[in-house]
Each structure stands twice: as structure tokens, then as C-alpha cells.
Amino acid sequence: MRLLHGGRAASLQLIQSDSDDDSDSAWDGRLGDRYNPPVDQHPDTRDIDYSEIKEKILLETANLGPKADYSITRLLRQRQLGLCRNSSFSHGECSRVASHFLPNNFTCTDSYVQKAFCGIYSQDGNIFMSACQDQYIRLYDTRNGKFKNFKTIKARDVGWSVLDVAFTPDGACLLYSSWSDYIHICNVFGDVENHTALDLNPEERRFCVFSITVSSDGREILGGANDGCLYVFDREQNSRTLKIDSHEDDVNAVAFADVSSQILFSGGDDALCKVWDRRTLREDSPQPVGILSGHRDGITFIDSKGDARYLISNSKDQTIKLWDIRKFSPKEGLDASRMAVIQQNWDYRWQQVPKRALKKHKLPGDTSLMTYRGHGVLHTLIRCRFSPSFTTGQQYVYSGCSTGKVVIYDVLTGKIVKKLSNHEACVRDVSWHPYEEKIVSSSWDGHVRLWEYRQAEYYEDDLAAVNCKGMEFASVK
């Protein structure tokens, strides 16, 4: 239980932690057949239309310049004639072509007896890691088109389920967190498992780390916990070095802004995203660099674009928001978000979304660049992420969904470009291969599915029609 401050001493409200709980008796993640997330048919693009990120994405996908209007066939023809630079497609042109071949069919499935909670690729894409409520962490070899389980690790000191996982940057170790005072680290390779418990030494009796990430040098581990604090653990000193009182409620999401690991993001059940400078963090004066407000309910996940400028946040208000950290919110925005959270009186873990929670108009002081609607955020801390830079130019954001789908949005238009449907319960985690057009979804139905592009079948009549048109075209020429 926690007191949520409503801005004045007289407006304190007693609330209960409502993130990933340690009780499994009230829900199983199958409200999807009774909830149809509203899709925004006409997203408001006025802010993003005049933003720097629009020009950046258009450049990274070859949608600016003289070839912007070229079809794929024309691009192929240009390459065939040697009219492309270095006789090959540019990186942007490759991303543009790949956008026509998004994953649309699941080609591989692994099944568990209990809920799948987490699933992520390693930085090089050679390993996929899955964490299940059965307390096992499974590692899959994903090299050369494979998806083969090569190691299964029994997690230790697990309360209810493993709630988050991460790789160290070198891919040699994995980390996991749960309802426990410890973050655990274990080796990925080798016949002997070496588990190490990293003690965060919290003051709460019931303690949980909902989100973890690792600095680019592998030295510091950042965690967000149910006591409203950020924790920094230094692996070289083997001790907790910082505990920052950061949010008025559970901290559900943490992320580093870029490879420098100097700027940190956090998101909590107070509906706020906060930006921190690691170089100025002090326990006795926990002041964020800035705050981003605009959500009406708690934040479930944060993903950075990796450029120390843009991030996205998933929320229990059933939206994803895109932020530019150069546009912090005024006090008016903080007060508006705080009031919106206080007025929420439903529990996303086992209740339907009330209509009043689906308001579309922006809150006062909302500085987000874009809002994406069309996926459901119920039952658990559902994740959203930017698509990879290498294959897509980060032109998409994608999210799990409480209706058992993977939903992919166009960053610039806000429209849904693809829905992947085959799960029977909520999809909690999603991970796009960093160098290939593959997505893995992890669902509470106990299935982990690998999605790839599959060309639609052609029938003889279709091929005959194509041949006839080709002959007509040849005769005209």
C-alpha cells in the first residue's frame, strides 16, 4: 500500500501496488475475447509532422530525395542497370524494400506448461532468451535460421515468476529479477552454472524489481522497483551504489538513453516518465533532469530509440506515446497526469477497460510527439519497442497486446500496419531480431512464437493472368 500525493496535503489517497503481482488466482490473461481495443482511424500527426524524427526516419528509409517515389520494381531496375551507388542498394533503400516483407506468419513455436513472461534477442541476434512462470530460463540458438533450445536454467529465489531479463553487452551472462531482494546473474555458456545473487538491500518487506537493464560497459545494473525507487548496482564493487527515490508509486520500467549510459529513463505507476543524468544522481537530492507527462495511467514499459533523444512508453491508458526529451512537460502537465491517475478506480489486472479511461483528447501540458492506439494493455506489464535500425530504419513501433496479438504501428502516421494473431492469451513481451525480419512473441497462453514473412500462395489461374498481361505488355513495347 502507498500514499499517492495529489498535489496538496489534503489530497492523499491510499492505493495498492497494481503492477505484476505475486498472486495468480484472479486472472489468466484471457480477457481478449471481451475487449476490442479502439483503433485511432485518424491519428493526430501535427506535432510529429514538424519534428526532427520525421526527417530522420524518412532519410533512413530512402523516402526523401529523388528516389522517394520509386516503386520497388523501379528500384530493382535501377540496380540491375548499375544506376545505384556502388551498384547496390543503400542502407535506406534496403530498409524501404524490407518494409514490404514484414513478418506475417509464425513458423516456429515452443510451448510451456505455464505463462511465458519475457523473451528477448541478444544484441547480436544469435541467442533468444525466454523466461517462464515455471521458473525456467530457456536459451535458444538462433544462428543460421535456427531456433533451437540449447540450454535451460533453473532460476533461483523466484517469487511468482521471473519478471524481467537482460543480457550483458558481451552476451556472456544473463540477469533476471523477480519478487526478491536480489537481482541474479548467471553465465550463458559452459556446462557449469554460476549463479550470483546481487543484494539490493531494500527496506521494503515485500520487494520486487520489475525492470532491469545493463550499462553498455556491463559494469552497472539499473533496476526499477515496487518501492518507487531506482537502484544502481556496481558489478566491480559488488554492491548497491545508489538508491534513488524516483516515483510516487511502482517503478515499472527503466532504460538507458544510448550507449554512453549517462542518461537514464524511468516510468512508473504515477504515469510519469522521468529523465535522469547518471553523473549528477545523488541519494540526498534525487532531482530528475526533466519529466514527461501526458499519460492518464501507469506506465508499463519504456524503450529508447538509442539516440539519447527519443523514447516510447506503453501505458495502462491503452496508448503508446513517443517523446522527445528536449521537450519536457511544464508543471501543468505534471498536475494533469497526477489528477488523471487519482481518478482511475479500476484494476487493469482483472477488470475490463472502462469507457471513461479511453479519452482521446490530450491532457494539458502533454508534450508527447505522437500517440498510438489500437492495442490492449491489461493483466500485466506489456512491452513495446522500436523496430531495429538495421532492417527497418526504426520506422515502426510494436507492442504486445492483451488480446493475444502483436501490433505494429508506423511511427510517422500512427496507423497500424500489421497485426500478428495466433495467441489465446495476452502477449506480454515481443522482440524483433536486430538483423533479420523476425519477431518472437511471448504469451500467457504458454507459447513462444517465431514470426517471419511468408509469401501468399499463388494459384494457376493467377499465374496465367500474369503471363497474359506480360505478353500484352511485350507486344505493346
Side-chain angles (χ1 to χ4, degrees), residues 147 233 363:
F147 195 81
F233 189 95
L363 290 173

Side-chain angles (χ1 to χ4, degrees), residues 41-106:
Q41 300 296 339
H42 304 285
D44 185 353
T45 62
R46 286 174 294 180
D47 290 325
I48 201 169
D49 283 343
Y50 298 97
S51 68
E52 184 182 311
I53 192 175
K54 180 174 183 178
E55 182 177 357
K56 188 172 183 179
I57 288 177
L58 291 177
L59 283 170
E60 291 178 352
T61 55
N63 282 300
L64 274 183
K67 296 184 181 180
D69 296 327
Y70 282 16
S71 64
I72 290 182
T73 52
R74 189 173 180 184
L75 287 172
L76 289 170
R77 180 64 172 165
Q78 289 257 317
R79 187 179 67 173
Q80 184 180 16
L81 295 174
L83 299 178
C84 292
R85 182 180 299 177
N86 298 323
S87 300
S88 182
F89 284 150
S90 67
H91 184 271
E93 288 166 342
C94 289
S95 297
R96 184 172 163 192
V97 171
S99 69
H100 293 268
F101 303 95
L102 296 178
N104 60 4
N105 179 71
F106 75 89

Side-chain angles (χ1 to χ4, degrees), residues 42-265:
H42 304 285
D44 185 353
T45 62
R46 286 174 294 180
D47 290 325
I48 201 169
D49 283 343
Y50 298 97
S51 68
E52 184 182 311
I53 192 175
K54 180 174 183 178
E55 182 177 357
K56 188 172 183 179
I57 288 177
L58 291 177
L59 283 170
E60 291 178 352
T61 55
N63 282 300
L64 274 183
K67 296 184 181 180
D69 296 327
Y70 282 16
S71 64
I72 290 182
T73 52
R74 189 173 180 184
L75 287 172
L76 289 170
R77 180 64 172 165
Q78 289 257 317
R79 187 179 67 173
Q80 184 180 16
L81 295 174
L83 299 178
C84 292
R85 182 180 299 177
N86 298 323
S87 300
S88 182
F89 284 150
S90 67
H91 184 271
E93 288 166 342
C94 289
S95 297
R96 184 172 163 192
V97 171
S99 69
H100 293 268
F101 303 95
L102 296 178
N104 60 4
N105 179 71
F106 75 89
T107 58
C108 182
T109 298
D110 203 357
S111 301
Y112 312 142
V113 175
Q114 298 189 48
K115 300 178 177 72
F117 265 71
C118 310
I120 59 170
Y121 277 105
S122 59
Q123 287 187 10
D124 58 12
N126 290 334
I127 299 175
F128 179 81
M129 171 166 51
S130 175
C132 178
Q133 196 175 19
D134 62 7
Q135 302 184 13
Y136 284 100
I137 296 173
R138 296 169 175 87
L139 298 172
Y140 297 82
D141 182 355
T142 56
R143 295 171 299 173
N144 304 317
K146 292 183 290 187
F147 195 81
K148 182 180 180 181
N149 179 219
F150 72 89
K151 192 171 188 177
T152 300
I153 297 171
K154 174 72 172 181
R156 300 182 180 179
D157 193 23
V158 175
W160 190 51
S161 178
V162 173
L163 295 178
D164 201 12
V165 292
F167 284 103
T168 54
D170 60 6
C173 296
L174 61 87
L175 299 99
Y176 58 93
S177 66
S178 180
W179 282 89
S180 166
D181 292 358
Y182 303 89
I183 293 173
H184 287 78
I185 185 169
C186 180
N187 57 298
V188 170
F189 304 104
D191 296 331
V192 179
E193 296 175 11
N194 296 311
H195 291 258
T196 303
L198 312 179
D199 190 359
L200 297 181
N201 193 25
E203 297 176 3
E204 294 262 332
R205 184 178 64 85
R206 293 182 67 253
F207 181 75
C208 176
V209 176
F210 292 120
S211 180
I212 54 175
T213 189
V214 188
S215 62
S216 60
D217 61 3
R219 175 172 176 172
E220 290 191 330
I221 300 167
L222 175 66
N226 67 322
D227 59 358
C229 294
L230 294 176
Y231 287 81
V232 177
F233 189 95
D234 190 303
R235 293 176 64 195
E236 289 188 3
Q237 298 182 30
N238 195 33
S239 66
R240 185 193 85 191
T241 53
L242 281 175
K243 176 185 176 182
I244 304 297
D245 189 4
S246 55
H247 289 263
E248 294 175 339
D249 204 348
D250 298 351
V251 182
N252 297 325
V254 293
F256 287 106
D258 63 2
V259 294
S260 73
S261 303
Q262 300 297 339
I263 304 300
L264 324 176
F265 300 142

Side-chain angles (χ1 to χ4, degrees), residues 202-389:
E203 297 176 3
E204 294 262 332
R205 184 178 64 85
R206 293 182 67 253
F207 181 75
C208 176
V209 176
F210 292 120
S211 180
I212 54 175
T213 189
V214 188
S215 62
S216 60
D217 61 3
R219 175 172 176 172
E220 290 191 330
I221 300 167
L222 175 66
N226 67 322
D227 59 358
C229 294
L230 294 176
Y231 287 81
V232 177
F233 189 95
D234 190 303
R235 293 176 64 195
E236 289 188 3
Q237 298 182 30
N238 195 33
S239 66
R240 185 193 85 191
T241 53
L242 281 175
K243 176 185 176 182
I244 304 297
D245 189 4
S246 55
H247 289 263
E248 294 175 339
D249 204 348
D250 298 351
V251 182
N252 297 325
V254 293
F256 287 106
D258 63 2
V259 294
S260 73
S261 303
Q262 300 297 339
I263 304 300
L264 324 176
F265 300 142
S266 65
D269 271 338
D270 55 6
L272 301 178
C273 293
K274 294 188 178 183
V275 181
W276 310 83
D277 190 330
R278 174 68 185 86
R279 294 159 293 192
T280 60
L281 273 182
R282 293 174 50 189
E283 289 191 5
D284 59 350
S285 181
Q287 294 299 320
V289 175
I291 301 177
L292 303 167
S293 65
H295 280 300
R296 299 175 182 273
D297 210 336
I299 291 167
T300 64
F301 197 74
I302 284 176
D303 189 43
S304 171
K305 192 173 183 294
D307 57 5
R309 290 187 178 178
Y310 301 100
L311 69 147
I312 53 173
S313 55
N314 214 0
S315 172
K316 300 171 188 177
D317 66 10
Q318 314 301 301
T319 70
I320 295 171
K321 283 185 177 290
L322 171 67
W323 308 91
D324 183 340
I325 66 168
R326 295 167 295 184
K327 291 181 61 178
F328 291 130
S329 301
K331 184 179 183 302
E332 174 191 27
L334 275 61
D335 293 340
S337 278
R338 181 179 284 113
M339 186 56 63
V341 171
I342 290 175
Q343 293 172 352
Q344 301 290 352
N345 58 0
W346 67 290
D347 195 315
Y348 90 121
R349 290 173 298 175
W350 51 67
Q351 290 182 308
Q352 291 282 1
V353 182
K355 289 184 178 180
R356 64 180 178 277
L358 299 174
K359 297 176 182 178
K360 286 184 60 175
H361 67 272
K362 275 191 169 186
L363 290 173
D366 182 351
T367 54
S368 62
L369 290 178
M370 192 70 188
T371 302
Y372 307 89
R373 295 182 177 88
H375 64 291
V377 182
L378 294 172
H379 310 305
T380 183
L381 300 177
I382 290 176
R383 281 90 187 281
C384 67
R385 305 181 195 273
F386 283 98
S387 64
S389 175

